[in-house]
Amino acid sequence: MTYRVCLVCMGNICRSPMAEVVLRATLAEHGLDEVQVDSAGTGDWHVGGPMDQRAAQTLAEHGYDGSAHRARQFTGDWFARYDLVLAMDTANLRTLRRLAPAGQEVRLFRSFDPSAPAEAEVPDPYYGGQDGFDEVLRQVKAASEGLAKHLADELR
């Protein structure tokens, strides 16, 4: 059985692709090979383009490879493909909830980080400096660990 997760931000070039790469590696470390991870954006500005260079560089500096990423746009029909859809922030959470069929659960990604406050977001680093990308990486690593533990309990 395959379990599918989609991580969603605004343009799918910074936060959600970083989270996709980190979550995929974290799940592999936990032996959760049955979980597939994708990412997408709610907007279409960057569709087909690579990950933001700063995001890719931050990942590379920590041993992750984001070079294969190409931005995609999440649309309402995607809900049928995924068991879990996770938003990086409340603005994208609202957008996803408007697109979602009745009864579809959509959550914030950081809700899986036990050290994060309720309604914690992964902030958009796009208009800031390198420290924003470093913070995003720290946050997605923590949420990825929490999600991996959750899925290990849920799927086993």
Side-chain angles (χ1 to χ4, degrees):
M1 177 188 97
T2 300
Y3 188 90
R4 297 196 65 198
V5 177
C6 190
L7 303 157
V8 183
C9 68
M10 189 73 69
N12 193 220
I13 60 168
C14 295
R15 295 172 289 174
S16 61
M18 288 179 75
E20 175 186 356
V21 169
V22 171
L23 179 58
R24 192 175 287 133
T26 303
L27 292 169
E29 290 170 8
H30 285 264
L32 292 164
D33 300 327
E34 69 271 27
V35 181
Q36 291 182 351
V37 183
D38 292 316
S39 68
T42 55
D44 65 356
W45 312 279
H46 305 288
V47 170
M51 184 183 305
D52 181 281
Q53 181 180 358
R54 297 164 297 170
Q57 169 106 19
T58 302
L59 288 172
E61 289 171 358
H62 291 87
Y64 299 100
D65 181 7
S67 62
H69 176 77
R70 292 297 173 263
R72 301 182 306 159
Q73 183 180 17
F74 190 97
T75 58
D77 61 326
W78 282 36
F79 282 105
R81 300 184 214 173
Y82 295 98
D83 299 291
L84 184 59
V85 176
L86 300 170
M88 295 293 120
D89 60 40
T90 55
N92 286 295
L93 180 65
R94 282 190 301 274
T95 299
L96 290 167
R97 285 182 172 161
R98 280 194 305 272
L99 293 172
Q104 174 76 44
E105 182 184 19
V106 182
R107 293 176 60 173
L108 287 169
F109 182 50
R110 287 195 66 203
S111 68
F112 290 98
D113 177 355
S115 68
E119 301 297 313
E121 301 179 312
V122 176
D124 190 348
Y126 187 77
Y127 293 105
Q130 182 58 46
D131 58 331
F133 288 89
D134 294 336
E135 181 64 13
V136 166
L137 181 61
R138 186 192 67 71
Q139 291 174 354
V140 300
K141 284 173 101 172
S144 292
E145 277 297 325
L147 179 54
K149 290 175 183 167
H150 170 80
L151 290 175
D153 291 342
E154 196 78 14
L155 300 175
R156 302 249 157 92

